[in-house]
Amino acid sequence: MNFLVQRSELRDLYDKVAAGQRISEADALRLFESKDLNAVGAIADLARQSRPGGAGNHASYIINRYINYSNYCILSCQFCSFARKKRDADGFQFTVEEIVQKARKALDLGITELHIVGGLHPSLSFSFYTDMLKALRALDPRLQLKCFTAIEVLHLAWLARKSVEETLRELKDAGLDSLTGGGAEIFRKEVRSAIARGKESAEEYLDVHRTWHKMGGRSTCTMLYGHVESLADRVDHLRRLRELQDETRGFVGFVPLPYQPENNDIPVHDPPTGFDTLRTIAASRIYLDNFDHITAYWVGMGLKLAQVALSYGADDLHGTIIEEHIFHMAGAKSPQLQTQTEMVKAIREAGLVPVQRNTFYEPIKVWDAAPVAETEAPATKSKMLEDNLATA
């Protein structure tokens, strides 16, 4: 047993994970309520290493570019700092050709994925979205198009006057490779009404992904935490994701998103701390035993904390991003992009082997392990800590 949990009140949960047993909702709540971050992290690290087909000693990243085609939106979600109305001076909308130009420049940088989302535009036609996908697909058939949140799909179905399944099929035929996981927020109805009144329900979000999965599609999923929800609400959210994953096996990864408190209508005086962020990632890794990958979203937490999260259950740092708007308009202070060199360095410093991946978390390139000099000091420090605790 890991020395960090030998004397912990969470020792029974370590034993469960070591035995390959599924933890319960009550167990998950204990993890979220625990102040023993080291023990929670040790259990999560065991869960990460134990995943069949999971990360092992690898951690991944993707070379991608974000494109928001517009921030005009018919909704007025209380937590959102991104959406604008047509009357607002800082609203924007790109043409298909402008989007293609951005993508063409990004391809020169070696991207393998475009991540495209936007507001629920009040006047764009359904053909705008299919034309955009077709034009981007024509640029390079190897480029993977990860586009649209569940609420965007519902909006597009309304525009096209088609069912969700028919809409998704048209988008897929036009070039869509994967749905994004955005828009999940927190599933509990009361919380959802408080932060995103008028948005799709939890059931609608899950049904869009269920429909996509049953068509053979894959997607990611998210949870926005650290605003007005309770710890029990987080567990309820994870439960619903785990249940859908049991049903479809269509999620390739889970991305916890720390709430950004600036420039919106929700007064949150205590946004997520580093402690809460690491604990949330770790508890998610332990509870979501049917997910192969947990992403530490460096845009929301900063690259240094995301690097630490690789020891708390995460096995992915997300992507190089390039021009992220949604989190930065909400107050994120992280850079607008990270280079591949920085991502590889961060993973190596965490003692793991860097892997460039594609949209579906499949490896494109496995880098060499870090030189001994880079990993020797952290390992020695860990051994000293273990020796000190053993004699305490």
Side-chain angles (χ1 to χ4, degrees), residues 165-211:
E165 181 176 356
E166 290 171 329
T167 301
L168 286 170
R169 289 200 182 280
E170 288 204 28
L171 295 173
K172 185 175 183 179
D173 290 343
L176 180 66
D177 290 302
S178 172
L179 289 182
T180 75
E185 323 313 356
I186 287 289
F187 287 148
R188 192 177 293 280
K189 182 179 179 180
E190 294 79 6
V191 176
R192 209 167 182 80
S193 296
I195 68 169
R197 192 177 305 114
K199 206 167 188 178
E200 88 277 32
S201 67
E203 291 73 22
E204 288 173 319
Y205 175 96
L206 293 168
D207 191 58
V208 168
H209 285 270
R210 177 183 290 107
T211 302

Side-chain angles (χ1 to χ4, degrees), residues 58-79:
H58 291 180
S60 59
Y61 66 93
I62 187 170
I63 302 179
N64 63 351
R65 196 220 198 276
Y66 274 33
I67 297 179
N68 301 119
Y69 53 86
S70 175
N71 66 343
Y72 293 128
C73 188
I74 60 176
L75 296 181
S76 299
C77 297
Q78 298 93 312
F79 76 92

Side-chain angles (χ1 to χ4, degrees), residues 228-299:
V228 300
E229 88 286 1
S230 68
L231 296 178
D233 293 333
R234 297 186 195 181
V235 175
D236 174 74
H237 187 98
L238 296 178
R239 174 187 61 81
R240 299 196 205 194
L241 291 177
R242 190 169 79 169
E243 287 176 351
L244 182 55
Q245 183 73 335
D246 278 341
E247 178 186 341
T248 68
R249 298 287 170 169
F251 289 123
V252 294
F254 172 65
V255 190
L257 302 172
Y259 176 71
Q260 304 295 316
E262 297 181 17
N263 307 321
N264 58 60
D265 296 328
I266 302 179
V268 174
H269 302 293
D270 298 305
T273 61
F275 183 101
D276 190 24
T277 291
L278 292 177
R279 182 177 56 182
T280 298
I281 287 173
S284 300
R285 172 64 287 165
I286 298 163
Y287 183 77
L288 295 177
D289 57 2
N290 51 7
F291 279 68
D292 281 337
H293 303 286
I294 305 292
T295 288
Y297 190 56
W298 66 261
V299 174

